[in-house]
Amino acid sequence: MLSFPCALKWKYWSSFSFVMLVDLCTLMKRFYSSSVSEDLGCRRGEFSRKHYGSVELLISSDADGAIQRAGRFRVENGSSDSTPGTWHRTDVHLENPEYHTRWYFKYFLGKVHQNYIGTDAEKNPFFLSVVLSDQNNQRIPQYHSILWRKTGTQKICLPYSPTKTLSVKSILSAMSLDKFEKSPREIFHPEIQKDLLVLEEQEGSVNFKFGVLYAKDGQLTDDEMFSNETGSESFQRFLHLLGDTITLKGWSGYRGGLDTKNDTTGTCSIYTVFQGHEIMFHVSTMLPYSRENKQQVERKRHIGNDIVTIVFQEGEESSPVFKPSMIRSHFTHIFALVRYNKQNDSYRLKIFSEESVPLFGPPLPSPPVFTNHQEFRDFVLVKLINGEKATLETPTFSQKRQRTLDMLIRSLYQDMMPDLHKNVLNRRSFSDVLPESPKSTRKKEEARQAEFVRLGQALKLKTTVKGDTTANLATTSFCKKEPWESQSFCSNFPHEVVCADSWGQSLLVSTDAGILLIDDGQPSVQVFDKTLQIKQMNVLEALDLLIARTDKGKESRILVFRLSAVQKDIETKKVIRSKYDCRENKLERTKGCHLYAINTHHGSELRIVVAIRNKLTSLLSSPESPVEEFQYIREICLSDPPVVMTLVDGPTGDSDNMICVAYRHQFDLVNESTGESYRLHHVETNRVNFVAAIDVYEDGEAGLLLCYNYICQYRKIYPFSGGSPLVQPSAYDFHFSWNQVPYAVVCAFPYVLAFTTDSIEIRLVVNGNLVHTAVVPELQLVASRSDIYFKATAAVSGPSDSSKEMGSKSSPQTPTAYEKPEFPLPSLEGEVPCKNLYKIPLSNLVGRSIERPLKSPLAPKVITTTTSSGITSLPVMHSLSLSRMEIKEIASRTRKELLGLLDEPITKTESAPKLKKVSRRQSDPKQGAVRSSSSDR
């Protein structure tokens, strides 16, 4: 964070959950509090922006050596600056995939939902859309809400309660909109769906056009590069790798601005479909060439107006290297330099990004050489798609988008307000999102809802046929193993988990039945009986210590055990200890504590800070006897009891150690030596739910991830000056927010995972971009210091078949008025709910093996490949995939059905077997690995 000179400008649309990353120039220690997310140590891998390149001033000159142009670009050339061999593997993910971000198309369009219109305190109009839907068919009902404003869209998920009605006011309050110039009123006109879909499309195109420029060896100016009439054999092979050659005349797919009627932009081009995105390549040698025009204006008109351009350069490594300043374009922000090596049949990649473009992945491997051509193609396309999305967040494009949104929203507001005054039905209760209507208007409302759904479904079908949405919204993604996929660790775990920590390959778990030691494939071992209720624990294998906080209230204590003694009791199978056998393990001056924290890099000394109401007690331990050798250091008084606490080591470790605490509406830094406190961050919202404070490391220097509610801002803390930290706004500040309020956050570079009660939201640490959202019913994070352990419910189907019941329901085109969505729960007859423990190996997330100080305390076992039960991995939702011809056929039949031209319209139950067959054919993993051709559309 300190070594990167470029200011990060990351957009966020949410102002509700806040995760604030504060960089400290000193090594920072991790904390432990009552939150399970605080159980995370520094073994999660490093956080480094060096993998994403460094900003350089690039100067280009002509053949005579005269300087032509200069520009500042971020250059990505692999991790050449870092230690060799530290970053070989990189995971390739589309960031902010439309399948997860285009909420209105996915969750709202074609379904009964509510839309509201209003103006805020500054008299700016806004629209609110709310729908109660099933979360990816996982039987988890949720409210999906979208707030449309000129600054962008805010999207949040709110839990559903059958006994409590959600109010519009509470939804807007959750989005930090509490004051109104005009209170929201509901819009009943079905045409509003078309207007809101247009607003969502302003987030960016789902299809892309990329330039491809061929450069011969020694060419140093854009005029020379654009004047190449043909390319080499290696260039032709590269084009064939990117996509298929298509004839432009009569082309009906995405054309990317090319002429498909009169051949004025060439006769052929390169086209492909990648993960649902249609991509048209503007190839310089395929665009019209003019011998009279040395500047080749027709070619520059297309490639010069592309945000992303691939430059294929011939020549050896010692030849002059391409620089972005050689191209005269104010629009192109990203250049991908590709060079082919005939000797080992490999491609080398180098990325140039204009300085204002936010960081985007995937980071280049070290070295950035690809011998597998298919992997190279996938990497390049993902990198370019992510790069264009990131470019849209630069001030050049974001300001234009904001002006467009403002104009569209104001125009829509002016069109809607006269109709709202005339419409009697809009006098609906402001407090209810899904209200009941009087019986007198029930039939009228049923007809309105049927028309609303019919129009929405027709609009959704029309959008899909036009290709204005990614196929990912209607097709499967690649069948590949993701790094966050989980493994079954313990099936049918019957106990309630309070807290846990990993011990070697095993898991030490505090449950309602006592303290258990669990290992994969072996029976659990009781370590302490249920009289000892542990609320917080840390297994410090390097120091041979087990630290635990027991009971609650005035009788709460800190207990310290030797791990070797505990392991000896397990091996000798002595009598199981109770809390009465642990009197000698009590730590003095800790009675009544509700929270404690330890330093991460303890080395030979272990620091413990214990919170007893609003007092902090600092203790220090040597590696001798754990209880007798803890020394009392000092006591610090706070204004309020801390909710979250972590220890921060200063650069000298003498008198500049700090304690980060969270209470009331603020995060503070407390000097451990003097007791002075300094304001770190103040939370502006009315209600604060502190989640955690997690340390993340950038090139050996640690930062702090402060988590509460649901946002993300990065602030830098300068070195301590005279014992006090300088907390000031920095150019390194950045923001991101979660879609749901997390109760725990886990960082594993390059990912940061947010755990909610029913989902895991996975984002990238460097930019906060969404990568994946996995729906996991009844999710509970158990431990995360090393491998991530969580508990979840797997519904085992019984004899009854719920699909028949679902098929007998009424068609969505004729919904029953005021009937709330039904969400069958796992407790239905014929289903047996069971709780399982799952593990996400940390080595899969960080991309390297993790050193473990000790082996498992249980007896060694033969490692075999087991078949996981329940959910063996985080679910990747696959939905229906249809070809263009099949979609047109269904669209035609649906239109006839809606117009009443068919005698026997296809019902949902009749079409289900055919759709299932199509889905099975399209989800063939072999097909997923092959690039899409023009016929696949």
Side-chain angles (χ1 to χ4, degrees):
M1 300 173 187
L2 298 175
S3 61
F4 191 69
C6 175
L8 302 180
K9 302 173 182 178
W10 289 328
K11 286 288 180 181
Y12 68 94
W13 307 118
S14 183
S15 57
F16 189 120
S17 136
F18 197 99
V19 181
M20 171 183 165
L21 178 63
V22 182
D23 180 64
L24 304 175
C25 58
T26 61
L27 291 178
M28 192 170 294
K29 309 310 176 184
R30 85 185 223 263
F31 74 93
Y32 294 85
S33 74
S34 56
S35 172
V36 288
S37 68
E38 300 152 351
D39 189 21
L40 194 61
C42 62
R43 286 173 288 276
R44 300 178 302 275
E46 62 183 18
F47 166 44
S48 177
R49 271 180 266 198
K50 288 184 178 180
H51 302 308
Y52 296 84
S54 59
V55 175
E56 302 177 10
L57 177 63
L58 301 179
I59 302 174
S60 64
S61 57
D62 56 19
D64 299 329
I67 296 177
Q68 289 186 319
R69 285 168 301 279
R72 293 182 61 85
F73 282 82
R74 186 172 62 250
V75 182
E76 297 183 58
N77 195 22
S79 302
S80 57
D81 296 335
S82 59
T83 305
T86 58
W87 188 261
H88 291 285
R89 158 193 168 275
T90 181
D91 292 298
V92 181
H93 307 294
L94 285 178
E95 300 175 12
N96 293 327
E98 281 72 10
Y99 182 76
H100 293 295
T101 59
R102 296 295 176 96
W103 276 21
Y104 194 77
F105 184 91
K106 180 179 179 181
Y107 296 111
F108 292 76
L109 201 58
K111 299 176 183 177
V112 176
H113 63 275
Q114 291 172 275
N115 300 293
Y116 295 86
I117 186 174
T119 54
D120 58 20
E122 287 76 26
K123 298 184 179 181
N124 294 316
F126 66 85
F127 291 87
L128 175 69
S129 300
V130 185
V131 66
L132 179 62
S133 61
D134 187 0
Q135 177 77 314
N136 291 348
N137 300 318
Q138 293 293 308
R139 300 178 177 180
I140 301 175
Q142 286 183 332
Y143 288 106
H144 286 80
S145 304
I146 306 176
L147 179 62
W148 316 83
R149 308 179 76 175
K150 69 175 183 179
T151 53
T153 58
Q154 281 181 253
K155 304 168 187 175
I156 62 172
C157 284
L158 297 171
Y160 166 76
S161 174
T163 59
K164 184 179 179 181
T165 303
L166 188 66
S167 67
V168 177
K169 187 175 182 180
S170 63
I171 296 175
L172 293 174
S173 177
M175 295 176 169
S176 300
L177 186 58
D178 298 306
K179 298 179 180 180
F180 314 100
E181 196 268 336
K182 288 185 178 180
S183 298
R185 305 181 71 179
E186 188 176 1
I187 304 171
F188 289 95
H189 203 288
E191 294 290 337
I192 186 63
Q193 298 175 92
K194 184 184 298 182
D195 299 311
L196 294 180
L197 187 61
V198 171
L199 292 181
E200 186 172 69
E201 290 173 352
Q202 303 308 310
E203 296 180 10
S205 174
V206 297
N207 301 320
F208 300 89
K209 54 186 182 70
F210 299 140
V212 181
L213 179 61
Y214 174 69
K216 293 181 180 179
D217 188 11
Q219 293 182 337
L220 301 178
T221 63
D222 54 356
D223 289 345
E224 295 174 332
M225 300 176 192
F226 280 103
S227 297
N228 294 321
E229 295 187 55
T230 59
S232 63
E233 182 181 351
S234 58
F235 179 64
Q236 296 301 325
R237 285 200 300 267
F238 174 68
L239 293 180
H240 181 69
L241 180 65
L242 287 180
D244 302 302
T245 303
I246 56 105
T247 302
L248 288 175
K249 195 167 187 178
W251 176 252
S252 60
Y254 175 68
R255 60 188 185 92
L258 299 179
D259 182 14
T260 58
K261 295 181 179 180
N262 302 315
D263 289 340
T264 59
T265 57
T267 59
C268 298
S269 188
I270 302 297
Y271 167 88
T272 190
V273 176
F274 181 76
Q275 295 194 23
H277 297 278
E278 294 184 70
I279 303 174
M280 181 66 76
F281 295 94
H282 295 161
V283 184
S284 61
T285 56
M286 291 184 171
L287 292 170
Y289 172 76
S290 174
R291 295 183 182 275
E292 292 76 18
N293 189 346
K294 293 183 179 181
Q295 293 188 354
Q296 303 299 327
V297 177
E298 184 62 26
R299 291 180 171 183
K300 290 182 180 180
R301 183 170 68 90
H302 291 282
I303 298 179
N305 287 319
D306 290 331
I307 295 176
V308 179
T309 295
I310 303 173
V311 179
F312 186 91
Q313 188 175 33
E314 299 280 9
E316 304 296 332
E317 292 294 329
S318 58
S319 303
V321 181
F322 166 83
K323 295 180 181 179
S325 50
M326 297 176 180
I327 306 297
R328 289 172 289 185
S329 172
H330 297 288
F331 198 80
T332 304
H333 283 62
I334 297 173
F335 294 90
L337 177 61
V338 177
R339 305 191 77 158
Y340 176 71
N341 190 333
K342 294 182 180 179
Q343 296 180 354
N344 56 7
D345 190 27
S346 65
Y347 290 96
R348 175 177 284 271
L349 182 63
K350 191 174 184 179
I351 303 295
F352 300 90
S353 304
E354 202 273 335
E355 184 181 14
S356 62
V357 178
L359 297 180
F360 60 93
L364 269 65
S366 178
V369 177
F370 299 82
T371 55
N372 187 313
H373 293 185
Q374 186 62 39
E375 289 183 0
F376 172 67
R377 175 185 184 268
D378 294 346
F379 187 95
V380 168
L381 294 181
V382 170
K383 185 71 173 176
L384 299 187
I385 292 175
N386 290 342
E388 180 159 326
K389 290 181 180 179
T391 305
L392 297 179
E393 304 303 326
T394 60
T396 303
F397 293 95
S398 62
Q399 292 172 5
K400 292 180 180 179
R401 181 173 63 247
Q402 181 170 332
R403 288 194 298 266
T404 303
L405 277 174
D406 188 22
M407 179 188 66
L408 291 175
I409 291 175
R410 290 185 181 277
S411 176
L412 184 58
Y413 177 80
Q414 293 173 359
D415 293 340
M416 286 292 171
M417 286 309 295
D419 294 336
L420 288 175
H421 290 297
K422 298 176 183 178
N423 197 339
V424 181
L425 288 178
N426 66 4
R427 301 185 182 277
R428 184 174 286 186
S429 172
F430 173 70
S431 61
D432 294 337
V433 169
L434 294 174
E436 294 290 338
S437 65
K439 293 182 179 180
S440 59
T441 61
R442 185 73 60 86
K443 291 184 178 180
K444 188 175 182 180
E445 182 66 10
E446 286 180 6
R448 187 196 69 83
Q449 287 189 359
E451 175 63 17
F452 191 91
V453 172
R454 185 197 66 79
L455 184 62
Q457 289 181 341
L459 184 61
K460 192 169 190 176
L461 196 58
K462 179 181 178 181
T463 306
T464 304
V465 173
K466 285 174 57 181
D468 290 340
T469 181
T470 62
N472 272 344
L473 297 179
T475 64
T476 65
S477 59
F478 287 148
C479 299
K480 64 177 182 178
K481 185 176 181 180
E482 300 291 359
W484 49 78
E485 289 188 6
S486 60
Q487 305 169 0
S488 178
F489 183 74
C490 179
S491 301
N492 298 321
F493 190 71
H495 306 293
E496 293 295 329
V497 177
V498 180
C499 63
D501 198 3
S502 55
W503 184 358
Q505 296 290 343
S506 303
L507 189 66
L508 190 63
V509 186
S510 173
T511 70
D512 53 351
I515 314 303
L516 306 177
L517 188 62
I518 305 172
D519 203 346
D520 187 11
Q522 293 194 19
S524 59
V525 177
Q526 184 113 19
V527 181
F528 299 95
D529 65 16
K530 63 181 180 180
T531 60
L532 186 66
Q533 295 293 324
I534 293 181
K535 306 298 183 181
Q536 183 183 354
M537 72 166 69
N538 293 110
V539 178
L540 307 178
E541 300 168 80
L543 298 181
D544 191 31
L545 293 179
L546 168 62
I547 301 178
R549 178 172 60 85
T550 63
D551 296 328
K552 60 181 179 179
K554 295 182 179 180
E555 299 302 320
S556 180
R557 292 271 192 173
I558 300 294
L559 302 181
V560 183
F561 303 90
R562 283 288 184 191
L563 282 178
S564 54
V566 176
Q567 185 173 355
K568 185 177 180 181
D569 292 344
I570 296 174
E571 293 173 351
T572 57
K573 299 182 179 179
K574 287 186 176 181
V575 179
I576 300 174
R577 293 192 189 189
S578 66
K579 83 172 188 176
Y580 306 104
D581 301 322
C582 304
R583 295 173 181 174
E584 296 182 356
N585 300 91
K586 293 181 179 179
L587 200 59
E588 295 296 329
R589 298 178 180 269
T590 63
K591 185 177 180 180
C593 65
H594 69 277
L595 189 65
Y596 76 87
I598 67 174
N599 57 325
T600 304
H601 294 92
H602 27 70
S604 60
E605 292 185 342
L606 174 65
R607 289 165 44 224
I608 301 181
V609 175
V610 181
I612 306 173
R613 293 182 293 277
N614 65 328
K615 293 182 179 180
L616 303 183
T617 302
S618 179
L619 303 172
L620 183 66
S621 170
S622 65
E624 303 299 329
S625 178
V627 177
E628 290 80 358
E629 296 299 325
F630 271 93
Q631 301 175 2
Y632 169 76
I633 303 300
R634 65 166 294 137
E635 188 175 84
I636 302 172
C637 290
L638 304 176
S639 59
D640 289 273
V643 180
V644 168
M645 181 168 61
T646 185
L647 305 188
V648 180
D649 283 3
T652 64
D654 184 13
S655 61
D656 49 8
N657 291 330
M658 309 292 288
I659 307 170
C660 178
V661 292
Y663 48 77
R664 288 188 302 184
H665 285 71
Q666 64 199 53
F667 286 94
D668 284 354
L669 281 178
V670 181
N671 190 304
E672 194 172 337
S673 299
T674 64
E676 296 181 75
S677 62
Y678 312 93
R679 179 67 53 83
L680 182 61
H681 179 72
H682 180 75
V683 184
E684 301 294 340
T685 57
N686 296 328
R687 300 180 61 182
V688 184
N689 176 33
F690 292 109
V691 180
I694 304 175
D695 56 336
V696 292
Y697 295 82
E698 181 173 10
D699 305 321
E701 296 180 337
L704 198 63
L705 197 64
L706 305 180
C707 311
Y708 68 90
N709 289 357
Y710 42 149
I711 299 180
C712 211
Q713 180 176 356
Y714 172 83
R715 286 178 53 191
K716 180 180 178 181
I717 296 184
Y718 293 88
F720 298 120
S721 175
S724 63
L726 300 177
V727 184
Q728 298 177 0
S730 168
Y732 291 85
D733 294 3
F734 70 86
H735 316 76
F736 71 84
S737 57
W738 310 104
N739 291 329
Q740 291 181 256
V741 178
Y743 66 82
V745 176
V746 175
C747 183
F749 181 77
Y751 307 106
V752 56
L753 297 80
F755 288 79
T756 70
T757 55
D758 49 38
S759 68
I760 302 178
E761 191 173 328
I762 304 166
R763 294 178 178 266
L764 296 179
V765 178
V766 294
N767 53 20
N769 286 344
L770 180 66
V771 173
H772 183 71
T773 301
V775 180
V776 186
E778 299 186 44
L779 173 65
Q780 178 189 1
L781 180 63
V782 174
S784 58
R785 180 174 61 88
S786 181
D787 294 334
I788 298 174
Y789 297 87
F790 63 90
K791 185 180 178 183
T793 298
V796 182
S797 298
S800 64
D801 188 1
S802 60
S803 61
K804 295 180 180 179
E805 299 175 5
M806 297 296 292
S808 62
K809 290 185 179 181
S810 59
S811 169
Q813 296 178 2
T814 56
T816 304
Y818 299 102
E819 187 174 304
K820 296 184 180 181
E822 297 182 7
F823 304 100
L825 298 176
S827 59
L828 289 177
E829 184 179 356
E831 293 190 351
V832 182
C834 60
K835 295 286 185 71
N836 301 331
L837 291 178
Y838 300 93
K839 178 177 75 172
I840 304 177
L842 183 59
S843 58
N844 292 352
L845 291 171
V846 301
R848 73 190 80 179
S849 60
I850 306 300
E851 295 181 2
R852 303 187 186 281
L854 295 177
K855 63 180 181 180
S856 172
L858 297 181
K861 63 180 184 297
V862 179
I863 299 177
T864 59
T865 304
T866 59
T867 303
S868 303
S869 61
I871 51 172
T872 60
S873 62
L874 301 184
V876 179
M877 297 303 133
H878 302 293
S879 54
L880 183 61
S881 173
L882 299 175
S883 67
R884 181 176 287 268
M885 294 301 297
E886 290 170 326
I887 292 176
K888 286 185 176 180
E889 182 180 351
I890 294 175
S892 175
R893 189 174 185 88
T894 304
R895 281 194 294 268
K896 292 180 180 179
E897 177 185 344
L898 296 176
L899 295 173
L901 301 178
L902 290 180
D903 296 333
E904 296 180 0
I906 298 179
T907 62
K908 184 176 180 180
T909 55
E910 292 173 347
S911 60
K914 295 182 180 179
L915 298 183
K916 186 175 181 182
K917 183 177 180 180
V918 172
S919 177
R920 185 165 58 248
R921 182 182 72 247
Q922 294 290 342
S923 60
D924 190 346
K926 295 182 179 180
Q927 292 183 358
V930 181
R931 58 182 178 163
S932 302
S933 63
S934 58
S935 61
D936 292 334
R937 302 182 58 257

